[in-house]
Amino acid sequence: MADENEKKRKKMDKRKKQKQKKKQKREREREKEEEKGSKEAEAKSSVPQTQVKNSEEAEAKVSAPQTQVKSSTEAEAKGISPQTQQVKNSTEAEGKSCSQTQEKSNPNKKRKLVFPFGNYKNYYGYRIGPGREVEEDPRIKVLKKEWFEGKDCLDIGCNSGVITIQIARKYKCKSILGLDIDSGLIEDAYWCLRKFARTESSQKKIVSDSNGKAVSEVNRSKQCTTLSNEGTNNGSSHHSSGDRDLSDIVSFRRENFVMCHRPPDKHYDTILCLSVTKWIHLNWGDDGLITLFAKIWRLLHPGGIFVLEPQPWESYEKNRKVSETTANNYRDIAYRPERFREILLDKIGFRKVEDLTSGLSGTRTGFDRPIFAFYK
């Protein structure tokens, strides 16, 4: 009887091992398919690489952002604000890479890239359209010029800085600072800023040369009325050429806005938080959301504007499993997006809100989200 039991046990063990081997084989095959798909996606992507051999190649080829600043002197010369404080250990890990990884128990498996803070690469590529990052973001159309012109502005969760730079160009901000949790995206943002600045400089040179020729022709003319008219045009042209460069207006800094306890170095007239609240909510829960709103209110000047684009609750459901933290926080969330207006007006203290959504058009499928302006 004992022998029969032993035979049965061995037979069951053998079956378990066979099943385990088959399972491991299927996992390896699936991993190979994922790796193949990832390589194909990377080959098609229009995002610049985040590392180049040296800074000279990066500027000459305009193909990738620099990933290292050689010295603190160079950083200051380029307008890169050095990190002024360290936050908790978990926060330090957040900024080391644009993507986070999950490692399975099987050591033969490769790591799969995930983005637990919404720090996607090529975000504007699929929000605006592949290869169209230089085109105006549709959301800019609903923003008012008086909120930005000559004003100090802050963009929380700026990603690669495309909309930050576009706002500075179109509305002539006095200054605008873009913050993001991902240091790799901040490098991308500075690369984009240099690209936009070069384009703007070339355009100014063309206009300047054209104006110079026009002035020469006017000087040769003997008609007083023409001289008077061209003189007026020349004066306005000179004023335009004296405008500040983008690099003097726009700056970027790696910072976890919610967890950073550094005293504010300035206050702002306008603060933007576009498609960011979901990631703060999932990673730091209701407390993190309230901290975000309260800090924004404190940083605004009286009469300041807070522009908010919240993601819908359905979007939370799709991304709740990107990490163990997000999964746990998702279950405990009490303040859903439809309650944000009530929280900001009744609890935080904003005096009124304006719904800008009706003027929004041209957004891609999946990004038709509401936009609100809250007045302090």
Side-chain angles (χ1 to χ4, degrees):
M1 189 69 178
D3 291 340
E4 289 180 5
N5 290 337
E6 183 66 21
K7 286 180 181 180
K8 287 182 180 180
R9 187 183 62 79
K10 288 182 178 180
K11 191 174 182 180
M12 291 176 65
D13 290 343
K14 185 177 180 180
R15 287 180 181 174
K16 286 181 181 179
K17 288 180 181 180
Q18 288 175 345
K19 286 182 180 180
Q20 188 174 7
K21 286 181 180 180
K22 287 180 180 179
K23 184 178 179 181
Q24 290 174 349
K25 184 179 179 181
R26 287 195 299 269
E27 289 178 349
R28 286 194 295 270
E29 289 174 353
R30 186 170 64 253
E31 189 65 31
K32 286 180 181 179
E33 290 177 1
E34 290 176 357
E35 182 180 358
K36 183 180 178 181
S38 177
K39 288 181 179 179
E40 289 176 355
E42 289 174 4
K44 293 179 181 178
S45 176
S46 61
V47 187
Q49 297 176 355
T50 57
Q51 290 187 342
V52 289
K53 292 181 180 179
N54 54 50
S55 59
E56 293 179 358
E57 289 181 0
E59 294 296 328
K61 295 180 181 178
V62 197
S63 62
Q66 295 179 347
T67 57
Q68 293 182 342
V69 180
K70 291 182 179 179
S71 66
S72 59
T73 305
E74 291 181 0
E76 293 173 2
K78 293 180 181 179
I80 302 176
S81 302
Q83 227 175 307
T84 56
Q85 87 138 43
Q86 292 182 339
V87 293
K88 297 178 181 180
N89 292 338
S90 60
T91 308
E92 292 175 353
E94 292 155 8
K96 291 181 180 179
S97 170
C98 69
S99 62
Q100 302 295 320
T101 61
Q102 287 181 330
E103 187 174 9
K104 306 294 184 180
S105 57
N106 188 342
N108 296 324
K109 274 197 166 188
K110 292 189 177 180
R111 293 179 176 181
K112 181 181 178 181
L113 297 178
V114 293
F115 303 91
F117 306 105
N119 48 327
Y120 298 109
K121 299 292 288 182
N122 196 27
Y123 174 73
Y124 289 99
Y126 56 80
R127 171 132 201 175
I128 302 176
R132 298 172 57 193
E133 292 85 346
V134 295
E135 297 184 18
E136 184 175 280
D137 190 301
R139 292 172 291 181
I140 292 180
K141 297 174 186 176
V142 303
L143 304 179
K144 296 182 180 180
K145 184 178 181 180
E146 59 264 29
W147 296 344
F148 302 95
E149 187 174 27
K151 303 294 179 63
D152 291 314
C153 309
L154 177 67
D155 184 12
I156 301 169
C158 64
N159 196 270
S160 60
V162 172
I163 196 170
T164 317
I165 298 167
Q166 289 182 353
I167 288 172
R169 289 183 72 187
K170 183 170 183 175
Y171 295 125
K172 309 298 181 187
C173 304
K174 178 182 177 182
S175 72
I176 185 165
L177 169 64
L179 301 179
D180 201 275
I181 198 170
D182 191 318
S183 59
L185 289 175
I186 293 299
E187 290 162 3
D188 288 357
Y190 269 109
W191 179 84
C192 288
L193 177 59
R194 289 191 294 273
K195 182 178 178 180
F196 273 97
R198 278 192 295 270
T199 302
E200 188 177 70
S201 178
S202 299
Q203 291 173 346
K204 283 183 179 180
K205 188 176 185 304
I206 293 171
V207 172
S208 179
D209 291 345
S210 176
N211 288 337
K213 291 179 182 179
V215 170
S216 297
E217 291 175 2
V218 168
N219 289 335
R220 287 195 297 269
S221 173
K222 294 182 180 181
Q223 297 180 6
C224 295
T225 55
T226 306
L227 278 168
S228 177
N229 291 336
E230 292 294 341
T232 303
N233 292 338
N234 184 34
S236 62
S237 170
H238 175 74
H239 176 75
S240 177
S241 65
D243 289 347
R244 295 158 62 212
D245 292 333
L246 270 176
S247 56
D248 297 327
I249 299 170
V250 184
S251 60
F252 298 100
R253 184 171 72 216
R254 187 265 157 182
E255 182 177 302
N256 182 333
F257 184 78
V258 172
M259 297 300 295
C260 181
H261 304 294
R262 177 174 60 87
D265 50 5
K266 68 186 296 184
H267 288 76
Y268 300 92
D269 301 294
T270 303
I271 297 179
L272 301 108
C273 188
L274 307 177
S275 289
V276 175
T277 48
K278 173 183 72 176
W279 299 108
I280 291 174
H281 215 172
L282 285 175
N283 281 282
W284 290 281
D286 287 336
D287 288 343
L289 182 77
I290 298 301
T291 298
L292 168 72
F293 290 160
K295 287 184 74 172
I296 288 171
W297 192 88
R298 289 196 299 269
L299 286 175
L300 280 171
H301 288 301
I305 306 296
F306 170 38
V307 181
L308 173 66
E309 180 191 34
Q311 296 101 317
W313 182 249
E314 293 77 12
S315 180
Y316 284 62
E317 294 175 351
K318 294 177 182 178
N319 297 108
R320 68 187 188 277
K321 294 182 180 179
V322 294
S323 73
E324 186 178 348
T325 299
T326 58
N328 291 334
N329 284 331
Y330 173 80
R331 291 191 293 268
D332 297 332
I333 286 175
Y335 301 142
R336 294 197 177 191
E338 54 267 26
R339 292 191 60 191
F340 289 179
R341 182 195 295 240
E342 171 197 344
I343 293 168
L344 286 162
L345 293 174
D346 298 341
K347 294 180 184 262
I348 302 301
F350 285 93
R351 59 187 176 86
K352 70 174 183 176
V353 60
E354 182 179 355
D355 191 341
L356 309 174
T357 313
S358 60
L360 191 63
S361 63
T363 57
R364 300 193 79 190
T365 303
F367 292 101
D368 47 348
R369 298 165 180 168
I371 300 180
F372 304 100
F374 292 86
Y375 293 74
K376 181 174 179 179

